[in-house]
Amino acid sequence: LVSLPLLREIGVGIARSVFGNSQALLDQAVYDSSAIDEATLEAYRRGSEVRNWDRALWQFTLSSRSVDGEELAARLSPRVGSGELPVYIITGDSDEIVDPQDSLALHLLLPGSLFSAIPATGHVAFQERPAEFLSLALPWLLKTGGVR
């Protein structure tokens, strides 16, 4: 459906109407907005003031729809399983943008990957629960050589 020429043209308008209200985007991205500091909240609000943000969001949406998750996983599995490409999927258990079950499914398609779901957290776990996120990510990054 998103490949129809007319929808490609009106998609920018759809992105603008759905996410033009930065508060709506924030409400969908976080489980508990009180867990996010004021500077981060202000950055969310400024996002829709950037020129062509709506075009970029629509193009990103279109490109993500064209990726076959199972095909991608099949190409990446050997590298992940061998340790050549370490993967750690960290999600919020209340993510309304990427269903945590989809994140878990990706983990199951990538042997050797790790998966964690942070309780009572939405899409931006690193902002909403930074201490919990870092307690998971930092030891893994140190172990895999992601941080030196």
Side-chain angles (χ1 to χ4, degrees):
L1 188 60
V2 294
S3 63
L4 294 172
L6 180 60
L7 190 55
R8 285 184 177 272
E9 292 302 316
I10 63 172
V12 174
I14 293 170
R16 190 179 307 116
S17 68
V18 172
F19 296 111
N21 174 354
S22 57
Q23 188 62 48
L25 179 59
L26 178 64
D27 290 344
Q28 190 176 18
V30 300
Y31 177 79
D32 176 11
S33 60
S34 69
I36 302 206
D37 62 59
E38 188 56 40
T40 303
L41 290 172
E42 184 55 33
Y44 272 96
R45 293 183 194 109
R46 286 193 315 263
S48 61
E49 297 171 9
V50 174
R51 187 169 170 251
N52 291 323
W53 70 268
D54 46 1
R55 289 193 176 285
L57 178 61
W58 184 244
Q59 288 302 315
F60 176 76
T61 301
L62 290 177
S63 67
S64 66
R65 298 285 183 221
S66 67
V67 174
D68 179 334
E70 289 186 20
E71 178 187 330
L72 179 63
R75 288 194 326 228
L76 293 178
S77 287
R79 294 179 63 200
V80 174
S82 71
E84 176 189 352
L85 181 64
V87 172
Y88 191 176
I89 300 165
I90 302 174
T91 187
D93 73 347
S94 300
D95 190 334
E96 292 183 16
I97 295 176
V98 176
D99 188 320
Q101 292 303 312
D102 291 342
S103 298
L104 178 60
L106 178 61
H107 159 64
L108 295 174
L109 287 170
L110 296 171
S113 67
L114 295 176
F115 174 83
S116 293
I118 300 174
T121 305
H123 186 66
V124 288
F126 61 94
Q127 290 176 326
E128 197 171 354
R129 303 275 184 257
E132 291 89 338
F133 181 86
L134 285 173
S135 74
L136 296 168
L138 193 54
W140 180 81
L141 287 167
L142 291 167
K143 179 182 172 188
T144 61
V147 174
R148 298 179 207 279

